[in-house]
Amino acid sequence: MKQYGGVIKPKTKRAKRFLDNRAPKLTENIKNAMIMKGGNTSMTVTQALKDIYALKKPSAVLYKKKNITRPFEDSTSLEFFSKKTDSSLFLFGSHNKKRPNNLIFGRLFDFHVLDMIELGIEKYKSLSDIKSSKCPEGTKPMLVFAGDAFDHENDHKRLKSLLTDFFRGPVVPSVRLAGLEHVLHFTALEGKIYMRSYRSLLKKSGCRTPRIELEEIGPSFDFILRRTHLASDDLYKTAHKQPKALKPKKKKNISHDTFGTKFGRLHMQKQDLAKLQTRKMKGLRKRRGPAAAAVVAGETSPKTTEVE
Amino acid sequence: MAACSIEGLLAKAEQDEAEKLKSITVQKELDLEFDIGNLVAYDKNRIDIRLFREQKKEDFLRSLARDNTQLLVNEIWKHPTERVEEVIVVKLPEPTTALPREKPPPKPRPPTKWEEFAKLKGIQKKKKTNLVWDDVAKEWKRRWGYKRVNDGTKEWLIEVPETADPNEDQFAKRNKAKKEKVAKNELHRLRNIARAQKIKVPGVGLTPTAQQSKTDLARAVNVAKSSTASAGKFQERLPKEKAPRNTGKKRKFQPVIGNFSNEKQRQLDLLKVMDSKKPRLDVNKAVNKQMREDDREESAAKFKKGGKKGRKGGNFSGKGKGGGGKGKGKGRAGGKGQGPPSGKKGAGKPGKR
């Protein structure tokens, strides 16, 4: 494997492609999520994990076995799993008396834990409870975050970023208009976060933009925010550093004014006004000899005024 | 009259427009923020808790979601669309929310030793074609790889050169040469990687290979001896052990074309040193070194005396003298009868060695 800094070289082209896919790149792959259970889980938690796995398919792995670890205390096991499956998002579900129906959403940077936020499930309705036709798997959902808590409180801001990262799906340049079906709506109210998942029906309205009608499909959660483990500011900043090559190239000499008019700028060489090309008048041509010099001097001045 | 009718027409047109847009307009205090690249909308309006408690929770959330989604869809529909294979798609802009990366951005590969040298000398890479015309087989063959031109190992006839041993196996010789070339290439590749990552590779003799010659083992012993806290100054030598050869600093030569200012500086420094009146010899250090050597000699001689007692009485002194002389190592003339060294003499000693 191209491990240990390239000491072991891959022997097949397929292995090389596999390793290049996992290597750090300029534009990255879609983030994989690993969904795992803790030492003790309740029916609610297992069902919740399965539902979120269904939302996040195919870029998620659901582990069946229980993992006796505590992410908030020891994250080495999580980091090991992330290295094995090349995942940078995780969802850890557990249940104990002190923290019933616990879900820990987290993300990693360079296979080390970046952020972890613990949410407790207070009320939960699974996919199978709500009887309606569902969206096809893998549709890019529209996300809506409502509530001023998502703007004012630090924890909620990070949670917003984490949930966007988790649920946004692949980054695509264009989207089929008829395929905008799935909507995930998060509301932050009184310290609780309500997550609802709807299917949007595009109804005819008088104009081009359709009218939206919603139909509840997917899992609905009532979360309560518990512990958080947020990354330090400098680690957060390092994680956001984009390589220079990705920055869009600025086109020089183009400017826009307030009305939106586009202005361009041309750079010319300095013109020698004495050698300006104007209409040729045979009579004004340069004549040899000292007598001609006086004539020429007299002629050139009216020429320049003409130009101005 | 006409003016009234025109006004009336305009008013009616406006009303119609409003009716049309009624189904898709939503009234909000604060405008939402959108990130269309990610299909996300952020609603910062305060949610009325009383309303929330009055209505049924689900209905309240659903109506809120419907309004927000309507606004988001309105925003999406504002973007340019195009038709791709009978399907209308909307072109999304770049995502604006800054989300952390998965892995740090890739670092450029550090240049190898050859690449650095080529850059210094200004050697450009010459692009070669992959296929070469082979006259023998009358077809295009690869320059390297499977079924290549000039594959030395696949020849069925090798002429034995005149200078070679007639019983030598030329085919085996070629195979061995190829294996050595491959191994050398691998070694250089690993060395480049180690230098790039600044990993210290252990020197010769410390990583034992299958067959280790006497010199290799001796070198390993010397390296082990000098890897103490005082760099081997106080390590005793075994009675018959010879002093290590080829120790001392390996002369490092500066590259021919390199840093010109450095070279100039070095020449000037050398001239300065030659001009100065200060002696370049540290007398203290030299004296201490000499004293230590003498102590060592004496102890070695004593050991020899003690060991060889009662063995061969006749050749006692001769053996002792010869053994003593040997034990002191090469390059040292008349070791025993030294006496207290004077300063100048002591200086002479290290020079001789």
Side-chain angles (χ1 to χ4, degrees):
Chain A
M1 289 218 263
K2 230 184 217 169
Q3 252 186 16
Y4 312 112
V7 173
I8 309 170
K9 278 209 297 206
K11 289 204 168 69
T12 54
K13 283 264 176 5
R14 184 162 174 238
K16 185 165 179 279
R17 265 183 277 132
F18 175 83
L19 289 169
D20 283 342
N21 191 25
R22 288 203 174 184
K25 293 194 262 196
L26 278 180
T27 38
E28 300 192 307
N29 305 337
I30 171 178
K31 290 193 184 184
N32 261 344
M34 41 184 190
I35 304 178
M36 50 208 324
K37 301 196 280 191
N40 194 8
T41 49
S42 56
M43 266 299 290
T44 346
V45 169
T46 33
Q47 195 61 39
L49 292 178
K50 273 199 209 147
D51 284 347
I52 296 183
Y53 172 63
L55 284 181
K56 194 74 180 120
K57 268 206 250 192
S59 61
V61 277
L62 176 68
Y63 287 120
K64 287 196 187 147
K65 290 213 174 152
K66 297 192 181 165
N67 300 290
I68 320 247
T69 45
R70 287 174 218 195
F72 274 89
E73 278 140 47
D74 177 30
S75 44
T76 46
S77 153
L78 283 173
E79 291 171 6
F80 172 74
F81 279 127
S82 91
K83 259 190 230 161
K84 279 286 168 183
T85 58
D86 191 36
S87 325
S88 44
L89 298 166
F90 70 88
L91 175 58
F92 188 88
S94 65
H95 174 81
N96 44 24
K97 206 157 166 209
K98 191 171 175 191
R99 282 178 248 272
N101 300 330
N102 212 16
L103 285 182
I104 304 179
F105 283 89
R107 61 184 162 194
L108 305 124
F109 173 70
D110 199 18
F111 308 116
H112 292 293
V113 167
L114 187 65
D115 287 336
M116 279 196 286
I117 298 182
E118 197 174 47
L119 299 167
I121 306 174
E122 295 210 321
K123 230 186 75 172
Y124 166 60
K125 256 208 222 161
S126 86
L127 267 172
S128 38
D129 284 345
I130 305 168
K131 311 266 186 258
S132 59
S133 59
K134 318 282 181 196
C135 294
E137 184 180 288
T139 40
K140 192 167 158 78
M142 295 187 274
L143 304 166
V144 185
F145 292 90
D148 50 354
F150 277 129
D151 211 30
H152 298 322
E153 280 164 56
N154 210 18
D155 283 350
H156 283 80
K157 273 198 258 190
R158 283 288 177 97
L159 179 65
K160 183 171 72 175
S161 156
L162 182 58
L163 290 171
T164 324
D165 221 353
F166 206 92
F167 289 112
R168 71 167 165 166
V171 180
V172 284
S174 50
V175 155
R176 201 180 119 222
L177 283 181
L180 292 169
E181 291 180 305
H182 196 192
V183 181
L184 285 170
H185 192 265
F186 299 90
T187 324
L189 196 58
E190 293 171 325
K192 288 204 198 162
I193 295 152
Y194 300 95
M195 173 176 156
R196 299 284 181 271
S197 161
Y198 302 103
R199 183 187 177 162
S200 69
L201 306 158
L202 308 165
K203 293 272 162 71
K204 256 197 197 161
S205 76
C207 44
R208 199 170 146 250
T209 323
R211 184 181 159 76
I212 299 285
E213 291 296 332
L214 295 181
E215 189 192 325
E216 183 154 9
I217 45 154
S220 87
F221 293 95
D222 285 2
F223 288 126
I224 176 164
L225 187 65
R226 289 183 187 153
R227 294 182 290 181
T228 59
H229 176 275
L230 303 178
S232 59
D233 276 335
D234 46 313
L235 181 59
Y236 202 60
K237 244 196 204 169
T238 333
H240 281 264
K241 240 192 246 189
Q242 302 290 348
K244 257 197 213 166
L246 275 184
K247 271 197 258 187
K249 279 210 156 156
K250 213 178 148 202
K251 272 198 147 180
K252 290 171 92 172
N253 300 321
I254 293 178
S255 59
H256 298 261
D257 77 346
T258 46
F259 296 107
T261 330
K262 199 171 177 182
F263 286 100
R265 206 183 179 116
L266 282 173
H267 296 268
M268 302 273 301
Q269 285 175 331
K270 191 168 170 117
Q271 280 181 304
D272 186 8
L273 290 171
K275 293 206 179 78
L276 216 62
Q277 187 85 292
T278 51
R279 277 169 58 193
K280 290 182 193 167
M281 284 181 220
K282 214 168 171 187
L284 301 175
R285 245 198 286 174
K286 263 201 201 144
R287 275 200 193 81
R288 297 207 192 121
V295 177
V296 171
E299 307 302 16
T300 43
S301 24
K303 235 206 256 172
T304 45
T305 47
E306 231 177 277
V307 169
E308 251 80 277
Chain B
M1 285 278 266
C4 290
S5 65
I6 291 173
E7 265 184 40
L9 270 171
L10 281 172
K12 198 155 173 286
E14 258 192 66
Q15 242 190 346
D16 282 341
E17 278 281 331
E19 282 281 330
K20 265 195 195 171
L21 292 172
K22 198 168 70 164
S23 53
I24 60 166
T25 41
V26 177
Q27 279 293 80
K28 285 271 182 183
E29 278 176 14
L30 273 171
D31 275 336
L32 308 195
E33 272 179 21
F34 299 104
D35 176 13
I36 302 298
N38 281 327
L39 296 179
V40 189
Y42 304 109
D43 179 14
K44 298 195 173 49
N45 293 302
R46 270 193 75 243
I47 302 171
D48 207 348
I49 303 174
R50 283 179 291 116
L51 254 150
F52 179 66
R53 290 215 193 105
E54 274 170 31
Q55 266 187 313
K56 269 172 80 172
K57 240 192 335 185
E58 295 302 317
D59 293 338
F60 177 81
L61 289 172
R62 184 198 284 254
S63 62
L64 178 66
R66 197 221 79 79
D67 290 339
N68 286 334
T69 321
Q70 183 70 63
L71 287 166
L72 176 59
V73 164
N74 290 352
E75 188 66 28
I76 294 174
W77 251 255
K78 284 187 196 158
H79 286 267
T81 62
E82 61 178 6
R83 206 183 177 80
V84 172
E85 291 170 17
E86 299 136 23
V87 162
I88 305 177
V89 291
V90 61
K91 292 216 326 237
L92 299 174
E94 293 279 331
T96 52
T97 27
L99 290 168
R101 282 176 66 101
E102 235 187 336
K103 297 165 188 139
K107 278 184 248 201
R109 209 170 51 102
T112 60
K113 198 155 177 194
W114 165 255
E115 281 172 4
E116 284 171 16
F117 178 76
K119 200 161 68 157
L120 185 68
K121 285 277 197 173
I123 301 170
Q124 311 282 22
K125 241 190 182 175
K126 285 213 180 79
K127 193 144 172 107
K128 298 187 181 136
T129 55
N130 274 350
L131 299 174
V132 180
W133 177 251
D134 187 16
D135 256 342
V136 174
K138 295 275 188 294
E139 63 173 3
W140 289 95
K141 281 201 172 169
R142 278 171 226 201
R143 193 189 292 272
W144 51 270
Y146 180 62
K147 282 192 190 155
R148 60 178 169 276
V149 167
N150 297 340
D151 192 355
T153 49
K154 295 271 190 310
E155 285 212 25
W156 57 271
L157 176 80
I158 305 177
E159 287 179 11
V160 177
E162 287 186 47
T163 51
D165 176 17
N167 292 333
E168 197 184 9
D169 186 357
Q170 296 295 327
F171 295 101
K173 187 165 146 201
R174 281 220 180 159
N175 279 333
K176 203 155 94 91
K178 174 126 185 97
K179 286 209 179 88
E180 280 176 10
K181 266 194 257 172
V182 169
K184 179 169 166 267
N185 192 12
E186 185 67 16
L187 173 71
H188 284 301
R189 183 180 79 92
L190 292 175
R191 266 216 291 220
N192 276 325
I193 291 169
R195 195 183 336 104
Q197 297 193 346
K198 302 203 179 27
I199 296 170
K200 291 209 167 194
V201 187
V204 186
L206 299 182
T207 44
T209 48
Q211 258 69 14
Q212 284 196 296
S213 64
K214 201 165 154 189
T215 44
D216 281 343
L217 288 170
R219 209 181 291 176
V221 166
N222 286 325
V223 170
K225 227 197 216 164
S226 53
S227 4
T228 57
S230 6
K233 232 158 84 164
F234 304 109
Q235 297 299 106
E236 295 296 329
R237 243 187 271 148
L238 290 178
K240 264 198 183 167
E241 200 178 338
K242 299 189 190 152
R245 296 195 75 197
N246 307 333
T247 46
K249 275 205 258 187
K250 184 175 168 186
R251 266 190 87 181
K252 239 187 180 173
F253 295 101
Q254 301 292 325
V256 175
I257 304 169
N259 205 341
F260 290 122
S261 57
N262 246 12
E263 195 179 334
K264 182 171 146 195
Q265 198 58 41
R266 240 172 321 115
Q267 308 278 22
L268 289 174
D269 285 342
L270 185 65
L271 286 172
K272 205 190 284 183
V273 163
M274 281 163 53
D275 266 339
S276 77
K277 305 269 195 284
K278 257 195 346 185
R280 293 288 284 172
L281 182 66
D282 187 358
V283 179
N284 250 333
K285 212 175 180 180
V287 165
N288 287 337
K289 205 170 191 176
Q290 183 57 37
M291 294 205 323
R292 201 171 41 250
E293 284 303 332
D294 288 348
D295 286 338
R296 211 178 264 172
E297 274 170 53
E298 280 182 44
S299 65
K302 247 186 231 162
F303 180 80
K304 212 122 263 144
K305 250 193 195 170
K308 301 222 160 109
K309 221 177 203 170
R311 260 237 201 134
K312 281 184 182 170
N315 293 354
F316 179 84
S317 53
K319 240 255 155 112
K321 255 212 180 107
K326 230 197 223 170
K328 273 164 253 147
K330 315 172 187 140
R332 224 193 291 197
K336 257 204 158 178
Q338 257 308 280
S342 59
K344 266 276 149 73
K345 234 184 179 177
K349 265 289 134 146
K352 234 187 217 168
R353 212 176 302 143

